[in-house]
Amino acid sequence: MKTIERLDPRVRSCIRKRGFTSLSDAQKQAIPLILDGKNIVLIAPTGTGKTESAMFPVFDGLLSLPAGGGFKAIYITPLRSLNRDILSRMQWWCGELGLTVGVRHGDTPMAERRKQALSPPDLLITTPETFQALFMGKRLRQHLAHVRYVIIDEIHELAGSKRGAQLAVGLERLHVYAGAFQRIGLSATVGNPGDIAGFLCGARPCSVVQVPVAKQLDLSVQYVGDDFRHQVEVLKKYLKREGSTLVFVNTRVTAEALGHALFGHGDVEVHHGSLSKEVRIDAEERFKKGEICTLICTSSMELGIDIGRVDHVIQFGSPREVARLVQRVGRAGHQLNTISRGTILATGFDDLLESLVIARKAGANEIEPVVLPRQAADVLANQVAAIAVEYGEIERPRIREICERTILFPDCDELLEKVCRQMEDHRLIRIDGSRIITTARARRYLAGNLSMIHDEKKVPIFDIVSRRTVGTLDESFVVGWVHTGVVFITKGQLWRVLEIADGKLTVEPAKKAIGELPSWEGEQIPVPHSVAQEAGGIRRTRSLAEYRTEPDGLAFASAFFREMDKNRSLVPTDELITLENTEDGVVCNVCAGHKANEALGRVLSILLSARYGTTVGLELDAYRMLLRLPSSIRAADVRDHLLSLDPATMPGVLRLALKRTALFKWKLVQIAKKFGAIDPDADYEKISIQRLLDFFDNTVVQHEAYRELLSEYMDIDTAAAIVTLVRNGKIRVALGLHSLIGAGGLLSSRDQIPPPSGDSAVLSTLKRRLSQDDVILACMNCRDWKTRTVVSRVDDHPQCPKCGARLVAALKPYEEEQYAIVKKPRKNAEERSTEQRLLRNANIVLSSGKKAIIALSARGVGPEVASRILGTLAEGDAFYREILKAERIFVQTHRYWA
Amino acid sequence: MKLEFIRSGPALVIENEERLLVVSDLHFGIEADLAAHGLHFASRSAERLERLMRVIDSANPDRLILLGDIKHSIPSLTRQEYHELPGIMETVRSRVPLVIFPGNHDIGLERFAREGEICPRDGMLIDGIGFLHGHMYPAPELYGNLIVIGHHHPLLALRDEVGCALQEPAYIRAGLMTGKGDIPVPEDRAGQTRLLFMPAFNELAGYDISRIIRDPFSPLSRCMDPGSAEIILADGTYIGPFSALVQDEDD
């Protein structure tokens, strides 16, 4: 029997009415499986009729169920805009078939929600977060008992995130009411379909239907240079040549800049997450109707919102990931069986090589896997609170049962217990033996924490001098970096923080300061190791034969290599790490990708900060790291540390390194919020958030922060593997001159690694103070010369200009009058003792020179203490530590306090 | 007179005729206030008390001077404080005699104190040293002496070449200026008066020293002579004049 004939005649007639003449490959394969009641993950490019593949047989099933009673099918998408799109498509089908359909998400008005509670639609379209909210109402819970189908659209977007983990537990909570229901996942192409199936179904059987994408892609890479005006000119030519075009960019700033540059065209609109819903919908509609033919968009357009026919996709700048490129270009050629055409406009050297590699990989179907978050403790906390509210009170083993039915929380009993205890600490739940009991706070918590997406607050910056708001900072920046007195840069100006209170940051303009903070840049799309490594391979072989290049790119690449050679620069490759000295610190060129460089950079930073007792600033991208270091630490020092790394100890070192960084603190805050420790609108005024976070030492909250950072933000395994290759000589390490490659790149990730103790800051403060101290030099030989100067200007062995003697005493300003006593021809006993003191002072200066003068400038240090300090023969920092010790003794004495 | 700086407090031992241990700003019960600001943490009173007892054991003083803000909530007592304070006070008292200088947060503390423990809010001399919490002007007899105060929670941030490297509780020692503030400091004794601002014992409290000095918010911080202010870390490390630190920043 032909597939279509298995469908209910009413559905078939609708299909004809809608003008479908034949079923797509995806539909032919998926529909029979769904009709047979199988769980299924359907992996196919956008625009191959995925939604219909799922919904034809679901309609078929819904028609066979009795009318009314509750929700029968739930369709979940990651975005409200997708919900709206799906709703408008489903309304036609459901109308024709006599089924009811509703949408429910954050924007749904109260009246509509009430209506749904009273008479639930057969098909409910919702988001993962609103799906969570369905369990909170008594009546809605009853409706959930009738669910037979759950369809998760764009499941690849969810599976790799904590949102997805929350949804997975949500599905099992639904299972408690609805029993076994059929699960259908719709996914873009991924490297690991099996994991997606496990995510959807847990241990239940699940079929995977995969429609290959690679052979339908027609990709090219065009080099457009780094001049923005030229880039715009090239883009204009493409837009003229092609029909309707989506232009994907990586940042909102670029989207706005291009939109501005192309404004004169008249038929161009911009689409990104910061724009209002109305503006976005308007742009989508106008594109769909053909009123505009170019839409400049960010990842906001990646997912399958129907915007009609797309002839061509342009990716402005490297797409960074293969999956992303495939997904974006997949938007082109929306008719079945047409080829998707895409062009990457590469804007620089890294960008070109990276784009070529990604285009090759897309053609070869080498797509990155989606990494499932396993044992995410904050998701567990969130779901424990939700379940506690749902049931009022419940035995912990029942919660465990629910969680362990997902693939994400195997054997989670121990973790669950820790999570519950931590939540009890924060008074989110009560525990009575094995019973988990809800609290008044839990419901309130849930209302503010339906989502696992972290809503980052914007903290206004208020300038107390001009009495106006000068901008905003991200909450992550405030939590990680800011405390009173700190100086940071924003809008090209320096500001000193005066106060953090009432949800705002009060600042004053600052002059030049030491150790100012970099302004923050949000988390960026990381380039995978495999891509960065292959780009490093191209740098080594300098051969682009395998890649889709055009003349401009080839010419640029070979000119770039020629320039490097001409400058005698070493070209870092997949087999060569180069280290370069710069004004700001040391650049390490490592073609390892973002996450591995994050790990390696942080390990190096903490070792350097511990070794030299200094803060190390770290900025990096996929191909290089800049270690901001005091000027005394050079590339050779960094190399020595790199060569002495032990891969086995790196994970431990990294954990240590993370603890004091801004990124870690920010993660802790996010996770603590999910544990109910910190309310979404908490203000951090007056108390030190940094010390508050110390309370999480050795708790499940801290453990989760480590787990997430080490598994999702950085790749310690790859970093360790690279170090192993360095150790056995497969990767060489060399020092080079500062090169074009070392100077290039957008350093997108920043952090600071402070030293383990403040020792060096104290020492440098001491050195600075002593060198700036005033000192009176007085000749004890002719007794007729004195001068006032500062310690830093004193010669190594000062000499009296009058008599040429080196018997010069170094006096503190308030001791100046003692010199007059020395000159007196007749002295009493006290005056003779003063003379003796000055002579001893001068003798120490005679024998130890400037070092003695420095010691004598210290607080409470006279000739006796100074000669004891000098007697230790300590040099450098050890010498200054002796001075600190002497001063510490002095401030304990009556002499200091009297 | 001899001083000992106990870093694990921060706490200070002052030894003259008597051996006095001084601890300031414990803020027991701060967690209830944090919760009102959206930060929900279990009470850390037990840990804080344990730390205090360890300091007492190691210092072995004749008397313990609590320099105010022993409790946190104002204007009234919270359930947490009702519940915890009797035990806390009794534990300390059973180990060492108490001297309490009430602070602005200590409303309602009398009910937990024994007779004779509570001293005047504007301070008094003990063993030749003036003590008060520091939220009001000192009694006249204190001038001319070393005056130890709490209330300000001083915290020092030191930066190195690359970034902030240290943020630690610290002491400020400063002289007095005449003709500042609302109450005239007796001129003849102003010169000999030394103020010592103690850091807070509570682990969450901390207020940047440069703000205390540049933007004074209390009677005594307004009267202090900024030019004479010197900074000492909780462990007794002498950092030096505040003016030298400011210079670094404005270079």
Side-chain angles (χ1 to χ4, degrees):
Chain A
M1 193 162 60
K2 276 178 73 181
T3 302
I4 198 154
E5 285 162 13
R6 290 189 57 191
L7 294 166
D8 187 288
R10 286 168 285 180
V11 178
R12 267 154 57 194
S13 102
C14 280
I15 294 174
R16 271 195 305 278
K17 217 167 176 179
R18 201 62 174 166
F20 286 99
T21 46
S22 64
L23 294 180
S24 69
D25 275 356
Q27 288 164 341
K28 276 183 202 150
Q29 289 180 58
I31 288 169
L33 290 167
I34 299 173
L35 282 172
D36 289 343
K38 297 245 167 45
N39 297 325
I40 176 178
V41 171
L42 172 58
I43 297 174
T46 316
T48 47
K50 256 189 296 185
T51 302
E52 286 75 11
S53 316
M55 291 315 290
F56 292 164
V58 170
F59 289 142
D60 188 275
L62 291 178
L63 286 173
S64 69
L65 291 170
F71 307 122
K72 300 195 189 74
I74 298 184
Y75 194 109
I76 298 172
T77 87
L79 292 178
R80 288 175 200 178
S81 54
L82 254 165
N83 279 354
R84 277 188 288 273
D85 187 48
I86 297 290
L87 176 69
S88 67
R89 280 151 76 180
M90 288 304 129
Q91 266 164 341
W92 184 86
W93 291 91
C94 289
E96 292 288 318
L97 293 167
L99 297 167
T100 51
V101 56
V103 69
R104 190 183 181 101
H105 50 224
D107 298 344
T108 311
M110 227 27 233
E112 175 70 21
R113 287 165 187 247
R114 208 168 301 125
K115 213 179 88 195
Q116 287 170 0
L118 293 173
S119 61
D122 299 312
L123 171 62
L124 182 71
I125 301 165
T126 188
T127 56
E129 288 70 32
T130 305
F131 176 63
Q132 289 284 325
L134 296 180
F135 294 91
M136 285 177 78
K138 198 171 153 202
R139 197 183 281 274
L140 287 171
R141 282 203 293 270
Q142 287 167 4
H143 298 331
L144 289 177
H146 297 82
V147 171
R148 289 289 159 269
Y149 302 94
V150 172
I151 302 101
I152 303 179
D153 204 350
E154 312 280 3
I155 189 171
H156 62 281
E157 267 298 302
L158 293 166
S161 68
K162 290 186 171 181
R163 276 184 95 188
Q166 183 198 39
L167 175 60
V169 179
L171 291 179
E172 300 310 332
R173 288 164 63 198
L174 176 61
H175 179 96
V176 175
Y177 296 101
F181 51 86
Q182 199 172 345
R183 300 170 186 232
I184 302 163
L186 309 177
S187 174
T189 316
V190 294
N192 52 339
D195 282 348
I196 302 290
F199 166 76
L200 179 67
C201 300
R204 302 172 188 88
C206 181
S207 314
V208 174
V209 170
Q210 205 163 177
V211 178
V213 64
K215 57 185 174 200
Q216 291 171 312
L217 290 179
D218 173 14
L219 293 171
S220 63
V221 177
Q222 171 75 43
Y223 177 72
V224 293
D226 54 9
D227 174 45
F228 186 70
R229 268 174 311 179
H230 178 65
Q231 292 166 357
V232 170
E233 286 313 309
V234 176
L235 183 56
K236 276 183 183 163
K237 272 186 212 141
Y238 271 100
L239 296 182
K240 208 178 277 173
R241 223 183 305 149
E242 305 290 346
S244 57
T245 307
L246 283 182
V247 181
F248 279 101
V249 299
N250 290 337
T251 68
R252 289 168 191 186
V253 178
T254 319
E256 286 295 340
L258 281 180
H260 183 74
L262 295 173
F263 185 72
H265 256 228
D267 57 356
V268 176
E269 281 288 356
V270 177
H271 188 283
H272 59 72
S274 299
L275 296 171
S276 74
K277 188 176 90 187
E278 289 72 26
V279 172
R280 274 181 287 158
I281 292 177
D282 180 59
E284 289 162 23
E285 288 296 321
R286 293 178 60 204
F287 187 86
K288 197 169 178 176
K289 287 189 205 139
E291 291 171 19
I292 51 170
C293 33
T294 304
L295 204 51
I296 300 166
C297 47
T298 59
S299 49
S300 59
M301 266 285 125
E302 254 166 45
L303 302 183
I305 298 166
D306 183 13
I307 45 162
R309 182 189 159 88
V310 178
D311 294 314
H312 187 212
V313 166
I314 289 178
Q315 166 67 39
F316 191 87
S318 157
R320 288 163 177 260
E321 288 174 336
V322 185
R324 202 165 283 269
L325 177 67
V326 170
Q327 175 109 12
R328 289 178 170 183
V329 175
R331 298 303 314 250
H334 233 180
Q335 301 308 315
L336 303 181
N337 300 325
T338 56
I339 299 287
S340 294
R341 290 190 318 112
T343 304
I344 305 174
L345 303 184
T347 58
F349 180 70
D350 288 344
D351 209 58
L352 173 64
L353 266 48
E354 191 174 292
S355 301
L356 290 171
V357 169
I358 291 172
R360 184 198 68 70
K361 280 176 169 285
N365 220 8
E366 293 172 20
I367 293 163
E368 296 92 2
V370 173
V371 180
L372 305 183
R374 289 174 203 266
Q375 310 287 18
D378 51 344
V379 174
L380 216 48
N382 175 268
Q383 289 299 284
V384 167
I387 292 170
V389 169
E390 183 183 332
Y391 292 89
E393 43 180 282
I394 184 171
E395 291 290 324
R396 209 181 63 224
R398 282 191 63 198
I399 302 180
R400 175 189 175 186
E401 207 179 298
I402 290 172
C403 297
E404 287 185 350
R405 273 204 298 265
T406 70
I407 196 182
L408 304 174
F409 296 99
D411 298 320
C412 66
D413 195 35
E414 198 184 325
L415 180 65
L416 186 61
E417 197 206 324
K418 281 189 199 152
V419 164
C420 289
R421 266 191 281 119
Q422 187 74 31
M423 293 169 73
E424 191 189 30
D425 250 18
H426 303 305
R427 295 188 284 278
L428 197 51
I429 54 165
R430 286 192 297 124
I431 302 177
D432 180 10
S434 60
R435 279 187 99 62
I436 304 296
I437 304 161
T438 187
T439 63
R441 251 198 84 217
R443 185 167 270 273
R444 241 185 357 260
Y445 157 88
L446 215 53
N449 286 282
L450 278 176
S451 171
M452 293 303 295
I453 306 172
H454 296 290
D455 241 356
E456 198 167 350
K457 272 196 294 189
K458 292 278 180 192
V459 182
I461 310 167
F462 182 77
D463 174 16
I464 198 159
V465 175
S466 64
R467 305 212 64 82
R468 63 192 173 88
T469 304
V470 292
T472 59
L473 283 180
D474 289 347
E475 192 183 2
S476 56
F477 181 85
V478 174
V479 167
W481 299 105
V482 174
H483 53 80
T484 311
V486 135
V487 174
F488 65 92
I489 311 172
T490 192
K491 307 231 183 287
Q493 215 189 325
L494 282 168
W495 306 95
R496 177 181 291 109
V497 177
L498 296 176
E499 191 174 32
I500 315 163
D502 306 326
K504 71 179 182 204
L505 213 60
T506 306
V507 300
E508 62 179 7
K511 281 176 258 166
K512 191 176 163 293
I514 45 169
E516 76 276 3
L517 295 172
S519 57
W520 187 263
E521 286 177 53
E523 293 163 4
Q524 293 219 8
I525 308 157
V527 177
H529 170 245
S530 58
V531 170
Q533 190 189 30
E534 190 171 326
I538 299 180
R539 288 186 190 174
R540 175 169 45 84
T541 59
R542 303 192 182 184
S543 155
L544 291 169
E546 283 177 63
Y547 300 91
R548 300 168 211 219
T549 38
E550 36 64 59
D552 290 356
L554 273 176
F556 168 72
S558 49
F560 189 93
F561 284 125
R562 263 201 311 281
E563 189 67 21
M564 286 288 288
D565 293 343
K566 202 180 88 193
N567 296 340
R568 304 230 171 91
S569 302
L570 288 175
V571 178
T573 69
D574 55 341
E575 294 176 2
L576 176 66
I577 292 172
T578 65
L579 301 161
E580 303 170 359
N581 283 318
T582 75
E583 260 178 39
D584 297 323
V586 175
V587 175
C588 314
N589 295 292
V590 188
C591 301
H594 274 103
K595 291 181 179 180
N597 273 350
E598 267 301 341
L600 187 58
R602 282 166 192 277
V603 167
L604 276 176
S605 299
I606 186 140
L607 293 175
L608 291 164
S609 79
R611 168 72 178 76
Y612 297 101
T614 171
T615 307
V616 177
L618 175 65
E619 298 173 21
L620 59 84
D621 64 15
Y623 306 98
R624 59 185 70 73
M625 318 166 218
L626 168 62
L627 300 168
R628 288 189 183 273
L629 297 161
S631 47
S632 58
I633 309 171
R634 307 309 286 157
D637 303 313
V638 176
R639 177 196 56 195
D640 295 346
H641 279 82
L642 178 62
L643 292 176
S644 65
L645 285 180
D646 174 3
T649 59
M650 283 171 63
V653 174
L654 183 57
R655 277 171 173 263
L656 261 175
L658 279 175
K659 177 133 195 251
R660 279 168 290 119
T661 61
L663 177 62
F664 185 72
K665 288 174 194 161
W666 173 231
K667 271 294 147 214
L668 268 184
V669 167
Q670 288 181 341
I671 293 162
K673 284 182 175 177
K674 294 301 154 204
F675 274 86
I678 300 176
D679 285 347
D681 57 350
D683 54 45
Y684 312 121
E685 67 186 287
K686 282 185 185 149
I687 62 134
S688 157
I689 189 75
Q690 330 269 345
R691 287 200 226 164
L692 192 73
L693 295 179
D694 286 345
F695 296 171
F696 291 115
D697 278 4
N698 300 316
T699 64
V700 65
V701 174
Q702 192 191 49
H703 185 264
E704 172 60 22
Y706 277 131
R707 188 205 64 78
E708 186 180 342
L709 288 176
L710 293 178
S711 66
E712 285 162 40
Y713 279 74
M714 42 200 80
D715 182 352
I716 186 68
D717 295 341
T718 301
I722 286 169
V723 169
T724 307
L725 291 173
V726 168
R727 283 168 82 94
N728 60 29
K730 298 264 170 47
I731 294 181
R732 285 185 308 121
V733 178
L735 301 182
L737 303 168
H738 192 36
S739 70
L740 281 172
I741 285 182
L746 210 181
L747 299 166
S748 58
S749 160
R750 295 161 186 255
D751 212 334
Q752 282 185 352
I753 289 84
S757 78
D759 187 47
S760 101
V762 171
L763 279 179
S764 59
T765 307
L766 171 70
K767 287 177 199 169
R768 231 166 22 234
R769 162 162 59 88
L770 294 180
S771 74
Q772 289 166 2
D773 264 347
D774 280 352
V775 61
I776 313 286
L777 298 179
C779 179
M780 288 303 289
N781 185 44
C782 66
R783 306 198 174 189
D784 195 25
W785 172 80
K786 65 170 182 178
T787 183
R788 190 183 175 116
T789 178
V790 287
V791 172
S792 60
R793 288 201 211 109
V794 175
D795 293 337
D796 282 345
H797 288 281
Q799 203 169 0
C800 171
K802 281 213 166 146
C803 69
R806 289 188 163 166
L807 191 67
V808 174
L811 306 178
K812 297 191 172 77
Y814 63 84
E815 293 170 327
E816 189 169 359
E817 59 207 40
Q818 295 179 358
Y819 193 53
I821 297 169
V822 166
K823 288 196 204 176
K824 276 190 178 174
R826 284 212 170 78
K827 303 178 187 81
N828 60 26
E830 195 186 325
E831 288 165 344
R832 271 199 301 278
S833 123
T834 302
E835 182 184 30
Q836 283 309 310
R837 258 175 72 82
L838 263 59
L839 273 170
R840 285 188 63 182
N841 179 316
N843 269 307
I844 301 169
V845 176
L846 176 67
S847 56
S848 297
K850 185 160 184 176
K851 211 174 145 188
I853 294 172
I854 291 170
L856 283 163
S857 305
R859 199 62 201 266
V861 174
E864 297 78 15
V865 180
S867 52
R868 207 193 58 227
I869 292 172
L870 294 165
T872 63
L873 299 176
E875 290 291 336
D877 284 354
F879 166 65
Y880 285 97
R881 274 196 200 94
E882 289 298 326
I883 293 178
L884 273 182
K885 221 188 279 173
E887 288 188 332
R888 205 176 289 149
I889 292 167
F890 175 66
V891 296
Q892 297 182 359
T893 60
H894 187 70
R895 217 153 44 92
Y896 177 68
W897 295 99
Chain B
M1 184 176 74
K2 182 144 172 51
L3 273 67
E4 289 166 31
F5 294 85
I6 303 175
R7 185 178 185 218
S8 58
L12 187 64
V13 175
I14 306 180
E15 191 166 353
N16 244 349
E17 305 278 303
E18 254 190 292
R19 194 170 160 82
L20 301 170
L21 174 65
V22 193
V23 163
S24 184
D25 299 277
L26 292 154
H27 291 271
F28 279 110
I30 191 174
E31 293 83 6
D33 188 40
L34 290 182
H37 287 89
L39 304 160
H40 306 270
F41 284 82
S43 167
R44 298 184 57 82
S45 296
E47 287 94 329
R48 206 171 300 129
L49 177 61
E50 208 175 286
R51 186 155 54 91
L52 178 60
M53 295 313 285
R54 276 200 303 272
V55 169
I56 296 172
D57 285 342
S58 74
N60 199 23
D62 299 322
R63 285 199 274 175
L64 170 65
I65 295 182
L66 293 176
L67 215 48
D69 289 358
I70 293 147
K71 59 177 277 294
H72 185 78
S73 165
I74 36 178
S76 56
L77 289 162
T78 58
R79 267 173 45 194
Q80 188 192 354
E81 290 172 352
Y82 261 114
H83 191 70
E84 294 179 351
L85 277 167
I88 292 169
M89 300 295 278
E90 201 41 53
T91 308
V92 181
R93 177 183 293 133
S94 65
R95 172 73 181 78
V96 61
L98 287 182
V99 183
I100 298 170
F101 289 91
N104 47 319
H105 282 262
D106 289 324
I107 298 165
L109 185 76
E110 313 80 44
R111 89 172 48 231
F112 309 114
R114 291 260 175 86
E115 213 180 304
E117 284 178 344
I118 295 199
C119 297
R121 291 173 170 268
D122 59 355
M124 62 185 236
L125 287 170
I126 298 178
D127 211 2
I129 293 153
F131 290 101
L132 78 155
H133 175 62
H135 61 301
M136 51 204 293
Y137 281 102
E141 81 239 32
L142 268 58
Y143 293 110
N145 300 286
L146 174 63
I147 302 177
V148 186
I149 59 172
H151 186 59
H152 297 81
H153 309 177
L155 188 70
L156 176 70
L158 279 187
R159 275 160 274 278
D160 62 14
E161 216 178 305
V162 185
C164 174
L166 175 141
Q167 226 193 336
E168 265 194 54
Y171 296 79
I172 312 172
R173 191 197 81 146
L176 268 187
M177 278 199 298
T178 49
K180 295 278 270 187
D182 328 324
I183 295 186
V185 177
E187 247 172 80
D188 52 330
R189 283 183 292 165
Q192 308 145 35
T193 310
R194 291 275 175 277
L195 293 173
L196 176 59
F197 295 72
M198 283 209 48
F201 190 88
N202 185 292
E203 62 280 6
L204 288 174
Y207 197 73
D208 195 71
I209 281 180
S210 61
R211 285 212 74 201
I212 297 174
I213 295 177
R214 288 173 175 188
D215 200 0
F217 58 90
S218 69
L220 282 171
S221 56
R222 281 195 291 271
C223 293
M224 103 169 105
D225 170 18
S228 71
E230 299 187 334
I231 295 162
I232 300 163
L233 291 184
D235 68 352
T237 300
Y238 177 75
I239 290 296
F242 172 73
S243 52
L245 294 179
V246 178
Q247 243 178 32
D248 294 343
E249 281 186 22
D250 292 347
D251 273 349

